[in-house]
């Protein structure tokens, strides 16, 4: 069989996942040389498939997206198939949405769904294609048999982050360094624990530093981490391990020097409010460059917070924001509007808390609740706001006190609810 070609359907929605998977291919001696094409948009995907097919194929087209983008990506797959539909081309889809809804995703037109993390799976997929064996034997994939029955292969074992680079260094495809995967919390609206596991797996300090030094060598000036909860670095459970956080931050700071920027507890990650203590803030201030912190608040109602299993109350959010201000940080507090079971009094409590927070100098990062596949809340009503609440939020935004995609997410929530699979 000729060498397979890997084509990433390289939309913004799955960009960093493709960088990680490219790094995984680079990490093994027998997959390092496989051609990888980053093809953004239908025409480029078609062109990227055509070239290797002319040389004999096969072609593995990789897709990855989040639930809000599923409809668009399914439409793009259909458009690609209209231009090129050849048995030597396999459309493999991974990511949280496909992992949560494999059957629906397969019936939407994909050949195979990769459930869970993809680093080992993509290496193995290339080996199987090279050997001319059927990809439906791959561990961790779900496929449709000829009679339409769903075939689920057992998932591969969870990996350790140090085994793989955090991005695709040889291809010059970079991203934030993932320091922690999985989450011990079980917030009922969140896809992370289901997708990446309900325990923390941390990249070692030595390994993070190695990749930070690599990025310094490539001229990077900003260094960001990817983690579900920043102050949980090194922890095994809910209690932070500040010694581990300090070892990480001090080590990376030493490697990158004082002239470069180190971001911690900010995009694309955040901090849980109960982890915010004077000691933690002093540590972040000492080593990190950011003077804003993103706090997960979600609601001002203790009832709604308890129902969503957030593991903290509203007073903790307020206390964390006050501590941030005291220590010279601007708190950016995430809120989720329209959470399941929310009643008028709960909404009042959320808006009152937001008012108190912005009065102290905080900013609100507004989201609308999405009933995401794979989560305990997947069948809940989509998040919705009244006209009056929308007006209040727009007023906050016009004063620069609120930002976020909450309006667009209100529409997306409706689409998700319409498109979800039957129970
Ligand atoms: S919302 Fe954050 S803390 Fe909660 S389960 Fe998801 S990643 Fe973990």
């Amino acid at each position: 069989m000729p060498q397979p070609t890997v084509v990433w359907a390289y939309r913004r929605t799955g960009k960093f996942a493709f960088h990680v998977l490219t790094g995984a291919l680079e990490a093994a001696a027998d997959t390092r040389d496989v051609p990888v094409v980053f093809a953004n948009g239908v025409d480029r995907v078609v062109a990227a498939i055509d070239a290797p097919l002319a040389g004999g194929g096969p072609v593995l087209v990789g897709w990855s997206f989040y639930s809000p983008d599923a409809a668009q990506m399914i439409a793009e797959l259909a458009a690609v198939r209209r231009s090129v539909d050849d048995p030597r081309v396999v459309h493999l889809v991974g990511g949280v949405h496909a992992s949560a809804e494999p059957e629906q995703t397969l019936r939407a037109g994909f050949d195979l769904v990769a459930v869970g993390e993809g680093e080992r799976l993509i290496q193995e997929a290339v080996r199987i294609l090279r050997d001319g064996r059927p990809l439906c034997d791959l561990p961790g994939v779900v496929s449709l048999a000829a009679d339409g029955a769903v075939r689920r292969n057992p998932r591969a074992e969870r990996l350790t982050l140090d085994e793989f680079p955090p991005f695709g260094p040889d291809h010059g495809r970079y991203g934030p360094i993932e320091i922690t995967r999985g989450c011990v919390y079980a917030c009922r609206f969140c896809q992370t624990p289901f997708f990446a596991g309900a325990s923390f797996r941390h990249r070692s300090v030595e390994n993070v530093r190695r990749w930070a030094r690599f990025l310094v060598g490539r001229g990077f000036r900003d260094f960001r981490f990817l983690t579900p909860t920043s102050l949980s670095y090194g922890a095994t459970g809910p209690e932070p391990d500040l010694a581990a956080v300090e070892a990480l931050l001090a080590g990376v700071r030493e490697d990158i020097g004082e002239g470069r920027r180190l971001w911690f507890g900010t995009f694309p990650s955040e901090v849980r409010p109960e982890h915010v203590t004077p000691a933690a803030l002093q540590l972040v201030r000492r080593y990190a460059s950011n003077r804003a912190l993103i706090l997960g608040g979600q609601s001002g109602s203790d009832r709604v917070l308890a129902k969503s299993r957030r593991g903290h109350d509203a007073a903790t959010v307020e206390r964390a924001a006050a501590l941030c201000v005291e220590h010279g940080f601007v708190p950016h507090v995430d809120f989720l509007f329209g959470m399941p079971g929310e009643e008028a009094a709960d909404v009042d409590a959320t808006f009152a808390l937001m008012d108190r927070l912005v009065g102290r100098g905080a900013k609100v990062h507004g989201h609308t609740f999405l009933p995401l596949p794979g989560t305990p809340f997947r069948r809940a009503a989509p998040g919705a706001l009244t006209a009056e609440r929308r007006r209040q939020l727009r007023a906050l935004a016009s004063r620069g006190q609120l930002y976020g995609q909450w309006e667009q997410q209100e529409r997306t929530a409706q689409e998700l609810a319409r498109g979800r699979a039957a129970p």
Side-chain angles (χ1 to χ4, degrees):
M1 228 23 202
Q3 168 89 310
T5 296
V6 173
V7 175
W8 300 134
Y10 188 60
R11 286 301 203 193
R12 180 193 56 79
T13 173
K15 177 176 163 176
F16 291 133
F18 293 129
H19 294 189
V20 169
L21 295 175
T22 302
L25 289 171
E26 294 173 10
D30 62 341
T31 58
R32 184 170 297 151
D33 297 327
V34 69
V36 177
V37 184
F38 296 81
N40 188 346
V42 171
D43 292 346
R44 290 196 175 123
V45 171
V46 170
I49 294 172
D50 278 343
L53 269 192
V59 182
L60 180 66
V61 186
W63 303 74
S64 178
F65 45 82
Y66 294 96
S67 299
D69 301 302
Q72 187 201 332
M73 299 311 281
I74 288 166
E76 292 198 4
L77 169 70
V80 170
R81 281 203 188 278
R82 279 195 294 278
S83 291
V84 49
D85 206 3
D86 185 297
R88 292 168 297 167
V89 180
V90 180
H91 292 277
L92 171 71
V93 56
V96 284
H97 180 82
S99 293
E101 298 283 5
E103 180 173 354
Q104 188 195 37
T105 308
L106 289 167
R107 298 205 189 282
F110 292 94
D111 297 310
L112 295 165
V113 168
V115 174
E117 45 203 9
E119 286 96 329
R120 285 204 190 109
L121 189 143
I122 194 66
Q123 291 178 340
E124 205 47 35
V126 165
R127 292 179 188 123
I128 285 181
L129 274 179
R130 190 183 281 147
D131 295 348
R133 290 182 281 138
L135 268 181
C136 58
D137 291 341
L138 193 58
V141 300
V142 182
S143 56
L144 291 178
D147 63 358
V150 178
R151 175 182 165 180
R152 294 169 198 269
N153 298 346
R155 276 199 202 195
E157 264 180 48
R158 295 206 192 272
L159 51 86
T160 56
L161 294 183
D162 282 11
E163 287 176 69
F164 295 97
F167 37 68
D170 295 348
H171 287 78
R173 300 286 173 164
Y174 309 112
I177 300 175
E178 186 179 19
I179 56 170
T180 301
R181 187 177 291 183
C183 189
V184 299
Y185 300 97
C187 308
R188 303 187 83 208
F189 50 79
C190 175
Q191 289 178 315
T192 296
F194 128 80
F195 180 71
S199 60
F200 291 132
R201 284 171 288 156
H202 306 290
R203 192 179 289 276
S204 70
V205 171
E206 296 69 38
N207 194 269
V208 176
R209 292 184 63 173
R210 172 193 164 189
W211 290 111
R213 287 194 296 272
F214 172 87
L215 291 174
V216 168
R218 294 288 166 111
F220 275 74
R221 311 229 31 104
D222 290 274
F223 297 78
R224 295 179 189 273
F225 299 137
L226 185 62
T227 164
T229 136
S230 301
L231 284 166
S232 294
Y233 180 74
T236 51
E239 195 58 36
D241 179 347
L242 289 187
V245 175
E246 178 153 26
L248 173 79
L249 295 181
V252 172
R253 176 53 81 192
E254 186 183 329
D255 289 328
I256 69 174
E258 290 303 321
R260 297 183 182 84
R261 285 184 297 259
L262 175 58
W263 301 83
F264 190 79
T266 183
F267 180 81
S269 299
E270 66 174 42
V271 172
R272 284 184 59 89
E274 75 274 25
H275 292 172
V276 176
T277 60
L281 292 171
Q282 281 155 15
L283 209 155
V284 177
R285 230 188 126 84
R286 180 161 172 210
Y287 297 107
S289 311
N290 47 295
R291 292 295 171 260
L293 279 181
I294 302 183
L295 303 179
Q298 317 308 356
S299 176
S301 157
D302 287 344
R303 203 182 68 84
V304 168
L305 288 169
K307 201 170 152 57
S308 63
R309 300 239 173 96
R310 268 296 288 175
H312 62 76
D313 58 14
T316 305
V317 178
E318 205 160 357
R319 199 159 43 239
L323 272 174
C324 283
V325 173
E326 255 175 57
H327 287 78
F329 289 93
V330 177
H332 290 229
V333 188
D334 278 329
F335 278 90
L336 259 179
F337 307 129
M339 289 255 261
E342 209 175 63
E343 292 170 7
D346 304 308
V347 180
D348 289 346
T350 292
F351 276 69
L353 176 58
M354 291 194 305
D355 279 344
R356 293 198 298 278
L357 292 174
V358 298
R360 286 206 166 116
K363 290 192 187 301
V364 171
H365 187 195
H367 308 263
T368 299
F369 164 74
L370 303 172
L372 292 171
T375 70
F377 279 166
R378 63 190 175 280
R379 302 241 150 254
L385 289 144
T386 62
E388 173 57 15
R389 293 304 185 185
R390 275 188 217 112
R391 191 194 59 72
Q392 287 175 279
L393 292 176
R394 286 185 195 124
L396 278 176
S398 71
R399 295 195 293 272
Q401 294 164 326
L402 175 143
Y403 63 101
Q405 303 294 314
W406 58 276
E407 288 190 270
Q408 185 191 319
Q409 285 160 350
E410 201 179 355
R411 293 188 289 276
T412 305
Q414 296 287 343
E415 285 162 20
L416 276 176
R418 275 197 297 275
R420 60 192 161 195

